[in-house]
Amino acid sequence: MSPTVAVVGASLAGLSAARALRERSYDGRVVVVGDEVHAPYDRPPLSKDFLAGRASLDDIALGAPDDEDLALEWRLGTTAVGLDPAGRAVLLADGSEVRADGVVLATGARARRLPGSEGLAGVHVLRTLDDAVALQADLAGAGSLVVIGGGFIGAEVASTARGLGLDVTVVEALPVPLSGPLGEEMGAVVAGLHAAHGTRLLVGTGVAGLVGTGRVEAVELTDGTRLPADVVVVGIGAVPNTEWLAGSGLALGNGVLTDARGATGNPAVVAVGDCAATWSGAAERHVRTEHWTHALEQPATAVATLLGSTEPAPAPVPYFWSDQYGARIQFAGSRRTADVPRVVEGSTAEGSFLAVYERDGQPVAVLGVDQPRLFTRWRRQLRSAVPSPS
Amino acid sequence: MIPVCATTALPPGEAIRVEADEPIAVFNVDGEFLAIDDTCTHQDASLADGWLDGCAVECPLHASCFDLRTGKVSGPPAKTPVRTHRVVVQDGTVFVQPGIAAEGAA
Ligand code: FES
């Protein structure tokens, strides 16, 4: 058998890993297994331009013309169901297997569902292209939408649906949406976009259940309120797709546990992207990161590891963005609860501003709303300020 | 030819956006002036707001990098190159010729 690397997962992290293999002059077979039937596509637009009908499937395809040269073997529409403990074969749902000398795990995460919502029409999650197509079709005939979860996905769906003319309510369990990623002060500022654009935001409110038989009719809150809803979107986070690895001998936590370089306990197996919980020296724990930029960049390190490199892992500055109600939200850095944001440009009242989070007087993170130029400069500065790990 | 600015108004490492039918971004790379389409081919971002790294600019939104000489894009999410435009410096003023590819461009 010719040398083979199996990449399990055909989204951004998997595609980036396959490209990285070729960039490192790996000339064996590269087999990419994906459970969706679609060729790799970009997920961020699913809640924004694609959902709004402004971007086509072609627009969001991740493949580039040069990808032909990569000579990848695609096994799409095929779910991996097991990894041989020796790490030499990936077992597929159709009963076949891919034998490989090296395996890159890139199976991503799936949307968490609301218990009790199974089989009820009109209730959606948004993670895959098929999810987005189904939601789009449902929104087209709907008058009201309730979004459960005020995180970035929920907020983006709310924003898109408002743009389509729906009556939208966002229900958030926490007192302040986005306080996890942005902190309470800035979370409140960004969540203020909802009210400014006619979306109702209910905070500190749990969901007791969904009402309806066959099709959803309302969302019932823990305080007894019933919110009528033609469509419900559940945006309450994601869970890593790692169940199929039970019995593989790999250490699993909130994701496949790896060292900082993406290595698992098996030298023939690395893990990347949303399915991996990678050791972070700065945080002193395994961290599972769901950011797009992470899925783009991290596979290069993991692939190098798989091919035998021991160079220290780069310590990139985490970066993510969100587009809501026409506002461009960008965040970079590692924020802790006690870090204090300070607005250094614009004002939160105007809606266009840049806030720098400081720890012991040092900038550690930056949030920009409609400040791409200045934000980019700060992001760069944070990048150069981060000492390389030893 | 569209006048852009005085050479002294665009120091090395800086960029300026020029309004044209399709906006153009002009960069000063260590004293050499280079111009490409200002709008990223991925989404609606102004590349003049991006980060100049050697002879490439990183898009301020999703970090695709465009080569300023060839217009080629380094990696996702953008897939299509930007157009390059010829820049002429005359009597201390920078001019750009929209639609005329810079020499050496793809
Ligand atoms: S807008 Fe430039 S990379 Fe997305």
Side-chain angles (χ1 to χ4, degrees):
Chain A
M1 184 187 79
S2 49
T4 303
V5 169
V7 178
V8 190
S11 194
L12 180 61
L15 180 62
S16 300
R19 285 177 175 155
L21 280 162
R22 294 305 189 213
E23 250 155 53
R24 291 238 158 202
S25 307
Y26 177 75
D27 60 2
R29 292 170 66 213
V30 176
V31 181
V32 187
V33 178
D35 63 344
E36 294 181 60
V37 295
H38 311 288
Y41 59 86
D42 205 19
R43 293 188 199 279
L46 295 181
S47 53
K48 311 185 247 295
D49 281 0
F50 185 82
L51 187 61
R54 285 192 302 265
S56 67
L57 182 50
D58 238 24
D59 291 331
I60 67 169
L62 280 176
D66 295 352
D67 286 349
E68 294 271 303
D69 305 343
L70 301 176
L72 307 178
E73 293 176 39
W74 296 95
R75 298 289 300 272
L76 297 175
T78 322
T79 306
V81 293
L83 180 68
D84 165 326
R88 294 287 190 258
V90 177
L91 316 176
L92 304 179
D94 62 8
S96 66
E97 60 176 37
V98 178
R99 302 200 63 79
D101 314 283
V103 178
V104 180
L105 304 174
T107 43
R110 63 182 179 278
R112 184 175 287 132
R113 287 171 192 270
L114 197 66
S117 64
E118 298 84 6
L120 203 54
V123 182
H124 297 261
V125 292
L126 183 50
R127 177 84 193 174
T128 66
L129 180 61
D130 294 348
D131 291 341
V133 168
L135 176 59
Q136 195 180 39
D138 227 5
L139 288 179
S144 62
L145 166 72
V146 172
V147 178
I148 300 174
F152 287 115
I153 295 269
E156 289 176 355
V157 170
S159 151
T160 302
R162 276 301 293 153
L164 296 170
L166 277 82
D167 178 73
V168 182
T169 306
V170 175
V171 181
E172 167 61 48
L174 296 172
V176 180
L178 302 172
S179 52
L182 304 183
E184 298 224 331
E185 188 179 339
M186 289 300 147
V189 169
V190 172
L193 287 167
H194 289 303
H197 293 84
T199 295
R200 206 172 308 112
L201 172 66
L202 305 176
V203 296
T205 317
V207 169
L210 302 175
V211 184
T213 38
R215 183 171 182 101
V216 71
E217 287 162 16
V219 174
E220 188 169 293
L221 304 181
T222 42
D223 65 5
T225 314
R226 277 193 179 197
L227 304 171
D230 298 331
V231 178
V232 172
V233 170
V234 180
I236 52 174
V239 269
N241 292 321
T242 54
E243 291 82 357
W244 69 285
L245 293 167
S248 66
L250 298 178
L252 305 176
N254 179 29
V256 182
L257 303 188
T258 78
D259 69 6
R261 304 190 32 83
T264 66
N266 184 330
V269 181
V270 295
V272 296
D274 292 17
C275 77
T278 309
W279 180 259
S280 157
E284 297 182 332
R285 61 188 173 88
H286 289 94
V287 176
R288 194 170 71 79
T289 307
E290 294 186 348
H291 304 153
W292 189 95
T293 324
H294 176 76
L296 176 74
E297 293 171 350
Q298 183 214 16
T301 303
V303 159
T305 303
L306 188 67
L307 298 179
S309 156
T310 53
E311 299 153 30
V317 174
Y319 167 53
F320 60 84
W321 73 88
S322 175
D323 297 314
Q324 299 169 29
Y325 304 104
R328 201 152 261 174
I329 300 157
Q330 299 177 281
F331 183 93
S334 304
R335 192 195 64 85
R336 292 190 201 147
T337 316
D339 300 339
V340 186
R342 188 165 60 89
V343 174
V344 297
E345 181 71 35
S347 80
T348 55
E350 280 162 32
S352 160
F353 65 93
L354 191 97
V356 176
Y357 295 77
E358 292 172 330
R359 188 183 308 155
D360 305 326
Q362 295 298 316
V364 290
V366 56
L367 167 70
V369 177
D370 284 337
Q371 291 281 351
R373 186 185 185 98
L374 201 54
F375 176 84
T376 300
R377 271 143 190 75
W378 273 96
R379 176 156 88 97
R380 280 292 177 148
Q381 190 170 322
L382 288 174
R383 224 188 272 186
S384 50
V386 173
S388 29
S390 47
Chain B
M1 287 209 300
I2 303 178
V4 178
C5 62
T7 49
T8 48
L10 189 59
E14 292 296 319
I16 188 169
R17 174 183 155 108
V18 182
E19 295 305 333
D21 292 346
E22 303 268 359
I24 292 171
V26 183
F27 298 82
N28 180 334
V29 180
D30 296 330
E32 183 183 4
F33 296 95
L34 296 162
I36 58 173
D37 288 341
D38 182 54
T39 309
C40 182
T41 57
H42 177 231
Q43 281 168 17
D44 193 14
S46 163
L47 294 174
D49 284 344
W51 183 264
L52 196 55
D53 201 350
C55 192
V57 62
E58 180 184 310
C59 174
L61 287 196
H62 315 125
S64 277
C65 286
F66 295 89
D67 187 306
L68 297 180
R69 285 183 211 283
T70 63
K72 283 202 180 117
V73 60
S74 68
K79 287 172 288 185
T80 15
V82 286
R83 292 175 310 163
T84 62
H85 305 277
R86 186 188 291 163
V87 178
V88 178
V89 178
Q90 249 169 31
D91 304 329
T93 302
V94 182
F95 295 88
V96 64
Q97 286 184 297
I100 302 189
E103 270 154 50

